[in-house]
Amino acid sequence: MKKSAPVSAVLISALDVQRAFGAVRAVDGLTLEVRSGEIYGLVGPDGAGKTTSMRLFAGALLPDSGAMQICGFDLASDVESARSTLGYLSQRFSLYEDLTVLENIRFFAEVRGLPSAEWLPRCLEILEFVGLDEFVHRRAGQLSGGMKQKLGLATALVTRPRVLLLDEPTTGVDPVTRQDFWQLLIRLVAVSSNREADRVAVLISTPYMDEASRCHRIGFMDGGRLIAEGTPGALRARLSGRVLELRGAPLSLLRSTAHQNADVEDVQAFGDHLHLRVRERTGARVVKQLRPRIERAGGKVDALQPIPALLEDVFISLTGSPHA
Amino acid sequence: MLEIVIHAKDLTRRFGDFLAVDHVNFEVHAGEVVGYLGPNGSGKTTTIRMLLGLLQPSEGHATVLGFDAFTQSEQVRLRSGYMSQKFALYDDLTVQENLSFYAGVYGVHEDRRLRQTIDRVGLSGHESAMAQALAAGWRQRLALAIALVHQPRLLFLDEPTSGVDPTARRAFWDLIYELAEDGVTVLVTTHYMDEAEYCERVGIMRDGRLLAMDSPERLKADVIPGNVWEVSAEPLERALAALQAAEGVVRVGLAGDHLRTITSGGMRKPALQAALRSADVHVTGLERGSPTLEDVFLALAR
């Protein structure tokens, strides 16, 4: 008894967006769409253009060219309407430390023009959702890092946005907090997904490749450009059969022998074993060649086999080998 | 018997009421690459500062390269290199000038040594580039060169790869392994769970406490005794509730469009399927996954 999912709408869109700071093309031809019910991850290193993209989507920065829409509202011609539908949590988000949890939310709600008859019941619901309902009267300065982050999310949610923009909300935070945060986010998108009019779209940026696998779709950013896009599974499948695990001894011999093989593009040490990335359709050949070569040189091979690629392997294969 | 290069015994540091490092015990052997993994504020940097003799322990002590880390810190610092999170380069000096300045501080003046060091970190050909013009990955190599120029036997790297792209990060780890092959011992801190996988052994820090230290594989085997499963099912919420209630499920969490669950060793696939079916959940996929260091961290922290 599979229910057909309601038709999803494009809630976030960018078409060929450019934004430069002086000579630096911070965002260079960004085109993307995020639909309701979707968590889309912008993934890339510092300086890739993630934060600039977020600020453009939040209407805090104007693009040099290109078009952007939030919930169908054009960010250039109708930024007020667009803003009224979005929640934005910036990297350097700050709370009022000497105000209580409730007072902080009240402040952000009233700044957004919500009357108390509207925000009060909603905010109690949101505080319960993020797990802060027992701390409504605690001062923000007295909250743990994880609780502050949840309060930040709560203030972004109080206007009941359909679009949530989260700029590196988990950088440097405790993995326990990070796990809780993601559970909230995924539940927010999943729970709201029964009525199309309530469905939320989330755009989140992160420098963590491993964290990105929790998104429905990922866009890899590098040098201001979106260099690849897809589900985590589809992106990993791009390197299917091209990452080999090599175990044996001595490690230095394994490394140098692997580097000498023309089909091996990259060698990475992982403690007591190596990962090799090989050229397309050469996996079987490398396995066949490498083992005898290592053994002839006096080494020992315990295992040499294909393993699933990491998202990081995919990103690196797209941005160039460190040995190039 | 391997030489012990770092020995921390009940190492503790308080700042007022705040316990930054709480009775930490560990050993690092010669030639090892050991990671120190933890979120911001977990006590990683404070530990390193005590090992370098920059901070006095409130309790306990540390021996580094056979010297007392605090009372003989000059001996330690002569023989160890330190690359800090916020390494300082002179932006208006060239690569060569930065290196020769810091080399001079250590009494190193031979041109040959400077050239070797530049070569070692892969900066040959960039000697006359201004530091400010270097990309993050190259700045990081220059900072490493500065930490290496006096040929230390022990290297402390405090979050060396923060803010550099994954390609530069991997190239940097290649360098670390080349150094280790030459017998240099490396202690490196990181808050990237996936980066810690590169280390031979990893210590896991949280709230000032060292929760465990072992090879990534043994940590996973010891801390996550069961299996990891990736479960695709509809509806997801009901599947989540069913697994949370099922006997043998250690942990279950939402992972984007599916569930990720850890079961105890005894729980097999049919039992998992039965638990989901009895809750009227339609299972569209059920595959074995592999544990990560994040799983280990979460299991140790809860």
Side-chain angles (χ1 to χ4, degrees):
Chain A
M1 42 140 260
K2 233 174 133 177
K3 267 187 312 194
S4 64
V7 184
S8 57
V10 174
L11 295 187
I12 304 172
S13 78
L15 184 63
D16 199 18
V17 169
Q18 307 270 351
R19 171 70 206 212
F21 296 106
V24 180
R25 293 181 170 197
V27 171
D28 189 5
L30 178 68
T31 296
L32 70 78
E33 284 187 347
V34 185
R35 294 179 168 272
S36 58
E38 219 181 7
I39 301 177
Y40 187 105
L42 270 184
V43 186
D46 286 5
K50 305 187 300 292
T51 293
T52 305
S53 301
M54 286 293 187
R55 296 178 64 201
L56 287 164
F57 280 117
L61 260 186
L62 289 173
D64 298 330
S65 65
M68 306 180 89
Q69 292 189 331
I70 295 287
C71 289
F73 298 113
D74 193 285
L75 272 170
S77 59
D78 197 1
V79 68
E80 287 306 314
S81 304
R83 274 208 196 119
S84 71
T85 63
L86 67 83
Y88 172 44
L89 192 57
S90 79
Q91 233 177 100
R92 294 183 200 283
F93 174 78
S94 55
L95 297 162
Y96 293 93
E97 303 249 317
D98 50 348
L99 297 187
T100 66
V101 166
L102 196 62
E103 287 163 348
N104 264 287
I105 295 197
R106 174 182 185 166
F107 175 82
F108 286 99
E110 290 183 347
V111 164
R112 305 292 295 261
L114 291 186
S116 64
E118 216 172 304
W119 68 258
L120 193 58
R122 191 183 299 169
C123 102
L124 293 174
E125 184 187 307
I126 289 165
L127 287 174
E128 195 184 331
F129 175 73
V130 302
L132 283 178
D133 46 336
E134 284 171 34
F135 305 99
V136 284
H137 299 302
R138 186 176 290 193
R139 284 182 204 283
Q142 245 106 58
L143 298 174
S144 70
M147 286 156 85
K148 278 184 189 160
Q149 191 198 31
K150 287 175 181 168
L151 178 54
L153 182 63
T155 60
L157 288 174
V158 73
T159 56
R160 206 171 278 173
R162 290 200 65 198
V163 166
L164 207 50
L165 305 174
L166 306 171
D167 192 15
E168 299 201 15
T170 61
T171 296
V173 309
D174 187 321
V176 176
T177 307
R178 184 160 88 159
Q179 170 75 1
D180 286 350
F181 190 81
W182 273 95
Q183 297 304 302
L184 278 177
L185 208 56
I186 296 167
R187 188 165 285 137
L188 178 77
V189 173
V191 165
S192 68
S193 65
N194 295 324
R195 273 184 51 216
E196 171 56 25
D198 295 335
R199 295 173 89 202
V200 175
V202 177
L203 182 64
I204 182 169
S205 68
T206 176
Y208 299 103
M209 296 283 160
D210 53 346
E211 176 173 88
S213 59
R214 294 179 173 107
C215 300
H216 298 124
R217 276 197 306 147
I218 296 170
F220 279 144
M221 271 199 105
D222 190 44
R225 306 184 71 91
L226 204 59
I227 55 169
E229 189 183 59
T231 63
L235 285 171
R236 276 197 208 102
R238 289 185 178 204
L239 284 186
S240 173
R242 289 182 54 197
V243 180
L244 307 178
E245 180 186 67
L246 172 56
R247 285 174 187 277
L251 216 54
S252 53
L253 172 71
L254 303 187
R255 252 160 63 95
S256 59
T257 314
H259 268 304
Q260 281 159 21
N261 191 303
D263 292 326
V264 174
E265 293 178 335
D266 186 25
V267 180
Q268 184 65 44
F270 279 82
D272 63 344
H273 63 283
L274 304 174
H275 286 187
L276 319 180
R277 191 180 79 233
V278 300
R279 291 194 305 144
E280 231 168 304
R281 285 186 291 277
T282 62
R285 187 161 80 206
V286 171
V287 169
K288 214 179 287 167
Q289 290 172 346
L290 213 49
R291 187 184 281 271
R293 255 179 224 166
I294 290 166
E295 283 166 355
R296 265 203 305 278
K300 181 167 77 77
V301 176
D302 295 329
L304 179 54
Q305 62 198 20
I307 54 165
L310 301 170
L311 282 173
E312 185 176 273
D313 293 322
V314 180
F315 185 89
I316 288 172
S317 75
L318 293 166
T319 52
S321 155
H323 306 287
Chain B
M1 189 64 193
L2 277 168
E3 183 197 349
I4 294 170
V5 172
I6 301 176
H7 179 75
K9 177 97 178 73
D10 287 331
L11 199 60
T12 301
R13 175 69 203 204
R14 291 188 188 82
F15 295 106
D17 289 342
F18 179 63
L19 201 50
V21 174
D22 183 3
H23 297 88
V24 161
N25 290 285
F26 68 92
E27 283 176 2
V28 175
H29 301 278
E32 267 195 306
V33 177
V34 173
Y36 217 55
L37 171 69
N40 294 347
S42 58
K44 306 188 297 287
T45 300
T46 305
T47 304
I48 286 197
R49 290 168 62 85
M50 284 193 282
L51 295 176
L52 278 167
L54 298 168
L55 263 182
Q56 184 168 14
S58 309
E59 259 179 71
H61 70 271
T63 312
V64 178
L65 295 164
F67 301 100
D68 183 282
F70 190 68
T71 59
Q72 296 175 293
S73 63
E74 279 182 26
Q75 298 298 324
V76 172
R77 271 180 261 164
L78 272 177
R79 292 166 178 81
S80 48
Y82 173 44
M83 177 175 159
S84 96
Q85 234 171 94
K86 298 190 179 82
F87 48 82
L89 301 175
Y90 292 94
D91 273 348
D92 48 352
L93 297 185
T94 64
V95 166
Q96 175 84 32
E97 288 163 349
N98 264 287
L99 187 59
S100 78
F101 173 80
Y102 282 103
V105 172
Y106 281 105
V108 175
H109 299 289
E110 309 98 290
D111 262 353
R112 192 181 47 89
R113 180 79 69 75
L114 300 189
R115 269 202 312 279
Q116 272 174 358
T117 309
I118 284 181
D119 211 37
R120 155 115 274 176
V121 301
L123 274 173
S124 302
H126 296 81
E127 290 89 344
S128 31
M130 297 294 266
Q132 65 186 358
L134 297 175
W138 295 106
R139 289 177 68 84
Q140 177 205 38
R141 284 170 186 232
L142 176 54
L144 179 65
I146 286 167
L148 282 175
V149 72
H150 61 299
Q151 298 186 308
R153 295 178 50 215
L154 169 64
L155 201 52
F156 293 100
L157 306 172
D158 194 10
E159 306 238 345
T161 64
S162 285
V164 307
D165 67 70
T167 308
R169 187 167 87 170
R170 286 208 173 173
F172 191 80
W173 276 91
D174 269 1
L175 279 173
I176 292 178
Y177 272 97
E178 283 168 20
L179 291 167
E181 274 169 28
D182 293 345
V184 178
T185 307
V186 181
L187 183 69
V188 53
T189 72
T190 179
H191 67 261
Y192 290 96
M193 298 282 145
D194 52 352
E195 182 171 69
E197 303 264 2
Y198 300 153
C199 303
E200 289 171 281
R201 283 197 301 142
V202 180
I204 294 185
M205 282 291 281
R206 189 182 192 226
D207 296 336
R209 291 175 47 228
L210 184 63
L211 302 178
M213 190 183 254
D214 213 330
S215 72
E217 277 176 52
R218 265 199 302 273
L219 282 172
K220 289 173 193 171
D222 291 351
V223 180
I224 313 288
N227 296 320
V228 176
W229 301 90
E230 312 279 352
V231 184
S232 299
E234 282 177 48
L236 212 52
E237 283 283 305
R238 205 187 300 158
L240 177 68
L243 290 180
Q244 274 167 341
E247 202 175 320
V249 171
V250 180
R251 185 157 66 80
V252 58
L254 294 155
D257 59 354
H258 67 283
L259 301 173
R260 195 159 182 283
T261 185
I262 297 173
T263 58
S264 62
M267 194 175 195
R268 302 265 167 255
K269 196 168 178 172
L272 207 52
Q273 279 166 324
L276 288 161
R277 261 201 309 271
S278 68
D280 199 17
V281 168
H282 178 65
V283 180
T284 54
L286 183 54
E287 280 170 44
R288 280 285 293 276
S290 20
T292 62
L293 280 178
E294 182 163 12
D295 292 327
V296 171
F297 192 103
L298 291 173
L300 289 172
R302 296 271 187 201

